[in-house]
Amino acid sequence: MSAALFEPLTLRSLTIPNRVWMAPMDQYSAEAAGPKAGVANDWHFAHYASRATGGTGLILVEATAVSPEGRISPADLGIWNDTQAEALGRIAGFLKEHGTVPGIQIGHAGRKASTRRPWQGRGPVGEGEHGWQPVGPSPVAFAEGYTVPTELTTEGIEEIVGQFADAARRALAAGFQILEVHGAHGYLIGEFLSPHSNRRTDAYGGSFENRTRLALEVVDAVRAVWPEELPVFFRISATDWLGEQGWTVDETVRLAALLREHGVDLLDVSSGGNGGPADIPVGPGYQVPFAARVRAETGLPVAAVGMITESAQAEKIVANGEADAVLLGRELLRDASWARRAARELGAETHAPAPYAWAI
C-alpha cells in the first residue's frame, strides 16, 4: 500500500522525504534584550528536534525577524546578526542529520510589532518592557488599543528589502535549505498587499501592481542571494476575510502567478490576520480550497494549512491534488510524532532515528 502523503517531493534540486510539514509557529521564547536577544536557545532546539525525530519531512522554523524592529514581540527569534545565525545553525544541522529538511521563515511584523506574548494578553508593550515604535505602510493601527505605526518612507522600505536579503544570506550560512518569506497574517508584507491597511498614494499603494510591489521586491532580493538549486517559499493570507475592502482570493491567484515568475517555488496558503471585523468560517480544512484554487489556476505548487488533524484527511488533500503538501501547526504541538503515527495508519513509512526503530 502506498500513500501520497509519504511520497517524496522534489523542488528544484531538493527532495523533501514526505508531504507532512511543520508550519512556522512562534514560540515567543527568546531573550528580549542584551547579547542573546533573539537568539535560539535550548527550548527552540528541543522543540524542533523532537518534531524531526517524529518523522516530519520539512520543518519551517518560526517567523524569524530580519531586524530588531521586525519582531512581533520582544521574545521573538531574530536573524539580523551572526550570533543568532550560529544558534539557528545548531537546529538546522540536527534536522538535516535526522532526515528532515530544515527551512526557516523570515519576516517583518510591521504595525503588529512590539506586542505582548499571547499568554500575556497581547496588545502593545512599552519602552520599559523592551518595546519600540512599529512601522507600517500607513499610519493605521492594527486594532483598537494598538500603536499607530510610523509610515515608512521609500528609503525605509528599501532598507527593509535589504534586511530580507541579509537575513537570507545568514539563513543559508546557517544550513537552511528552504527559505520562506512571510507575507501573511497582517504582518508587514501582508499590510502592503491589503487596501485595508495600505492607504498610500505613492508607488507602493493604490493599484494591485503598487500594493504587490514590496512583496516582489523582497522575493527578488532574496532570490538574488539564495542558491538557484534551493527553493524559496512565500506564505500568504489568501484573504483578509474583509470582502472587497481587503485582500481577496482573486488577488492571491494573480500574485501567485507573479511570484512564480519571480522564482517562488511554493505558496504556503493561509488566511486572515489583518484586523477588521472579519467573520471567518473556521472548520476542518477550511483553508484548503484557497490552496487548491491557486494550484489549479497557476500550476504553482502549494501547501495547505488550517485544522488538518487526521491522517486520512491529510492523505485525501494530497492524493486529490488539492495541495502538494500539508503544513501542520497545533496538531504537531499536540503530537510531535504525528508523522510516524500517520504513516502507521496509512500503511506507509517515514524516517526515524535508530533508537526509535522499535516504535516504527
Side-chain angles (χ1 to χ4, degrees), residues 162-287:
Q163 290 168 347
F164 271 91
D166 290 342
R169 290 189 189 95
R170 289 193 177 94
L172 180 65
F176 289 98
Q177 295 176 292
I178 289 178
L179 189 85
E180 178 170 273
V181 175
H182 197 352
H185 301 154
Y187 298 117
L188 186 67
I189 294 174
E191 292 165 18
F192 271 84
L193 294 177
S194 175
H196 174 73
S197 45
N198 184 347
R199 316 288 174 84
R200 301 176 75 98
T201 57
D202 64 359
Y204 289 92
S207 67
F208 170 85
E209 289 74 17
N210 285 354
R211 287 183 283 114
T212 59
R213 190 179 306 276
L214 175 61
L216 297 177
E217 286 181 350
V218 167
V219 166
D220 287 346
V222 163
R223 191 76 262 184
V225 301
W226 195 250
E228 181 70 21
E229 66 271 17
L230 294 179
V232 169
F233 291 4
F234 189 96
R235 187 166 223 196
I236 196 165
S237 285
T239 172
D240 288 342
W241 299 101
L242 298 173
E244 295 302 318
Q245 303 304 311
W247 179 255
T248 68
V249 182
D250 288 344
E251 289 177 311
T252 290
V253 173
R254 289 179 65 187
L255 178 58
L258 292 172
L259 290 170
R260 187 178 190 183
E261 293 175 6
H262 285 253
V264 167
D265 301 285
L266 181 139
L267 197 67
D268 172 358
V269 186
S270 187
S271 71
N274 200 28
D279 183 16
I280 304 176
V282 175
Y286 71 104
Q287 295 173 138

Side-chain angles (χ1 to χ4, degrees), residues 147-167:
T147 306
V148 175
T150 299
E151 182 173 314
L152 280 164
T153 63
T154 301
E155 292 75 19
I157 293 170
E158 291 174 356
E159 182 180 3
I160 288 172
V161 172
Q163 290 168 347
F164 271 91
D166 290 342

